[in-house]
Amino acid sequence: MSANDACVIVGASLAGAKAAQALREEGFDGPLVLIGDESERPYERPPLSKGYLMGKDAREQIYVHPPQWYAEHNVDLRLGMAVTAVDPAAREVTLADGKRVGYGKLLLATGSSPRRLPVPGADLKRVLYLRRVEDSDQIKEAFQFASRAVVIGAGWIGLETTAAARAAGVEVTVLEMAELPLLRVLGREVAQVFADLHRDHGVDLRFGAQLAEITGSAGAADGVRLSDGTRIDADVVIVGVGITPNIGLAQEAGLEVDNGIRVDERLSTSYPDIYAAGDVANAFHPLLGKHIRVEHWANALHQPQTAAQAMLGQQDAVYDRVPYFFTDQYDLGMEYAGYVEPGGYDQVVFRGDVAGREFIAFWLADNRVLAGMNVNTWDVNDELQALVRTAHPVDAHMLTDPQVPLESLLASAQHR
Ligand SMILES: Cc1cc2nc3c(=O)[nH]c(=O)nc-3n(C[C@H](O)[C@H](O)[C@H](O)COP(=O)(O)OP(=O)(O)OC[C@H]3O[C@@H](n4cnc5c(N)ncnc54)[C@H](O)[C@@H]3O)c2cc1C
């Protein structure tokens, strides 16, 4: 079999490993190479800010496949090896050691990297980011000696890490530029729930905070200074200020990039036989009628199936799942289905007990459900996804009434 029959996957994390699995499940029996620059075999990241960080999940639980899976499925897994270039004309990728690997079909699953802070002191020791398993190990270790932490950024990573820090008995101050945590993603109504949650767990939340510098002594962070002069002492500073897609390879190869690698609903890039999936893909979503880049686990789990099918020439392969994500913080677990642009809704209605943190929230525009979030309420997310998918108007009062089964709303929406 020649290299032109090979499927090559760049990025050996969730999307890359799932793509290898899907290619084999879809019947591809040619050469399959999975290349990743991390030294660990593919693992999942959600536990790194939750169970694994808190010491509840064992390391073995984070991996996508058992170690022998790759050999058993004839997957040539090359770890600790960066791909440095893609040459679409020659149909090959170049590795950091100078070797070249030819491909018939190429999948880019290069994911994303934490955005770095552009302030003085950001390079000090004990300024920690969270993306890789070794980052989680370092933060876990810091929780052993730290009595005070400053967390910069009240997004998902910042808040989950804060919850883990509190569980370890660390005092936490969270600094956020916006007025509330998660304001852009959730809007004011539900963002408030997360602010209350953390305050109730003793977190010092500071909104509208402008970081001026991270201060240090003996080369290690010892606190932060805000632009209004406020000084906050800390034994460790944890930064969670968002991520940027790893588009370098694609960009240098001349692929179309725009907030990620731009792909169609089949996850094909602007170049023949090159595909992208997971955090790095800005994919056309048929349900929403536009391109979106989803930085969440479920997307990296499911997109590879479509990518694999498209790589194998299946004409009906289209990715149109309703975006989904989840979080766990303290005793709050939630799932979210749908997609709302910042400020892109006209009301949020609730079903259940918001103060008791056991409810469903619905984001509506013109009485259509754009998104739903179930908080400490289970086995309803399929209905929420179906409500989003139908995109038909529903009666907001019925959404709020716990006596009205969600299935019945679905049926009435479908029959309009
Ligand atoms: C701490 C943490 C907690 C999270 N929790 C949740 C959660 O609760 N819920 C949720 O929905 N989502 C969560 N996420 C998001 C979710 O983990 C990501 O969406 C998912 O990891 C994306 O997978 P991916 O395979 O597309 O990319 P990544 O996981 O970023 O993997 C890409 C891989 O490619 C490698 N790579 C990049 N460039 C190259 C190159 N040139 N050569 C070789 N290899 C390369 C990278 O090093 C990396 O190993 C969390 C993320 C983090 C970091």
Side-chain angles (χ1 to χ4, degrees):
M1 209 170 274
S2 79
N4 276 352
D5 300 313
C7 283
V8 172
I9 302 167
V10 182
S13 181
L14 181 58
K18 282 287 162 189
Q21 180 182 335
L23 282 163
R24 287 299 185 225
E25 285 171 357
E26 295 290 334
F28 175 67
D29 60 4
L32 177 45
V33 190
L34 174 57
I35 310 164
D37 60 2
E38 293 188 66
S39 54
E40 290 289 326
R41 74 178 192 272
Y43 59 89
E44 304 205 14
R45 299 186 199 274
L48 306 185
S49 52
K50 307 180 190 67
Y52 182 76
L53 180 58
M54 290 192 276
K56 291 184 191 164
D57 298 346
R59 188 153 180 130
E60 265 320 297
Q61 289 172 260
I62 69 173
Y63 295 102
V64 182
H65 297 114
Q68 68 279 11
W69 184 90
Y70 298 91
E72 282 170 4
H73 293 81
N74 209 6
V75 175
D76 178 0
L77 177 62
R78 306 206 192 164
L79 295 176
M81 184 59 70
V83 169
T84 54
V86 173
D87 183 342
R91 289 175 168 266
E92 56 185 26
V93 300
T94 307
L95 310 185
D97 63 4
K99 292 202 180 98
R100 288 159 182 257
V101 180
Y103 66 80
K105 306 278 178 187
L106 177 66
L107 176 69
L108 298 175
T110 48
S112 47
S113 300
R115 202 171 281 143
R116 300 276 145 178
L117 268 184
V119 298
D123 295 332
L124 288 165
K125 274 189 243 155
R126 294 200 214 142
V127 177
L128 304 179
Y129 292 79
L130 179 50
R131 185 76 196 171
R132 296 183 163 188
V133 64
E134 55 268 28
D135 302 330
S136 182
D137 288 336
Q138 250 189 313
I139 294 175
K140 199 189 300 185
E141 200 183 302
F143 289 166
Q144 303 299 309
F145 68 77
S147 53
R148 293 158 309 178
V150 163
V151 171
I152 300 171
W156 298 114
I157 299 290
L159 294 183
E160 289 175 2
T161 308
T162 295
R166 295 298 297 130
V170 179
E171 296 292 324
V172 186
T173 304
V174 176
L175 304 178
E176 167 58 49
M177 285 197 315
E179 292 162 64
L180 281 170
L182 302 163
L183 187 57
R184 276 177 61 80
V185 253
L186 299 182
R188 186 168 298 282
E189 300 83 351
V190 180
Q192 189 62 53
V193 173
F194 284 87
D196 295 343
L197 172 72
H198 283 270
R199 285 220 172 90
D200 289 353
H201 285 83
V203 177
D204 180 1
L205 293 170
R206 311 246 184 131
F207 298 118
Q210 298 286 341
L211 182 70
E213 71 169 314
I214 300 175
T215 58
S217 52
D222 64 6
V224 299
R225 202 173 48 74
L226 306 185
S227 52
D228 66 2
T230 307
R231 150 122 203 130
I232 303 162
D233 293 332
D235 308 307
V236 59
V237 175
I238 299 163
V239 184
V241 292
I243 54 177
T244 50
N246 295 325
I247 54 166
L249 278 181
Q251 201 160 27
E252 280 161 30
L255 273 61
E256 197 181 337
V257 297
D258 163 25
N259 177 32
I261 304 174
R262 203 168 159 90
V263 291
D264 62 14
E265 65 275 26
R266 293 170 54 71
L267 308 177
S268 305
T269 68
S270 56
Y271 268 57
D273 299 325
I274 306 183
Y275 300 78
D279 272 21
V280 79
N282 184 11
F284 182 78
H285 199 293
L287 196 62
L288 303 166
K290 60 179 158 195
H291 281 78
I292 59 166
R293 192 171 62 76
V294 178
E295 302 170 344
H296 294 299
W297 170 88
N299 185 68
L301 182 75
H302 296 301
Q303 270 190 347
Q305 171 90 23
T306 303
Q309 291 168 343
M311 289 163 84
L312 299 177
Q314 295 179 24
Q315 291 310 314
D316 55 353
V318 163
Y319 190 79
D320 68 351
R321 275 180 176 259
V322 173
Y324 165 97
F325 64 89
F326 65 94
T327 188
D328 293 306
Q329 297 170 34
Y330 312 104
D331 52 358
L332 180 150
M334 78 80 177
E335 297 173 289
Y336 177 104
Y339 181 77
V340 188
E341 298 275 357
Y345 62 91
D346 50 37
Q347 59 172 326
V348 176
V349 297
F350 294 97
R351 160 182 295 220
D353 178 4
V354 179
R357 298 187 193 115
E358 224 177 283
F359 63 88
I360 305 174
F362 302 89
W363 284 258
L364 305 177
D366 299 328
N367 286 323
R368 291 172 168 80
V369 178
L370 303 179
M373 173 192 276
N374 48 299
V375 173
N376 289 342
T377 306
W378 304 109
D379 301 325
V380 293
N381 202 266
D382 286 349
E383 283 82 10
L384 298 185
Q385 291 184 31
L387 277 169
V388 171
R389 187 173 284 284
T390 61
H392 287 296
V394 288
D395 183 335
H397 293 107
M398 292 174 88
L399 282 175
T400 62
D401 183 350
Q403 302 306 321
V404 178
L406 291 177
E407 299 80 9
S408 69
L409 288 170
L410 208 49
S412 66
Q414 277 158 352
H415 287 117
R416 270 166 209 272

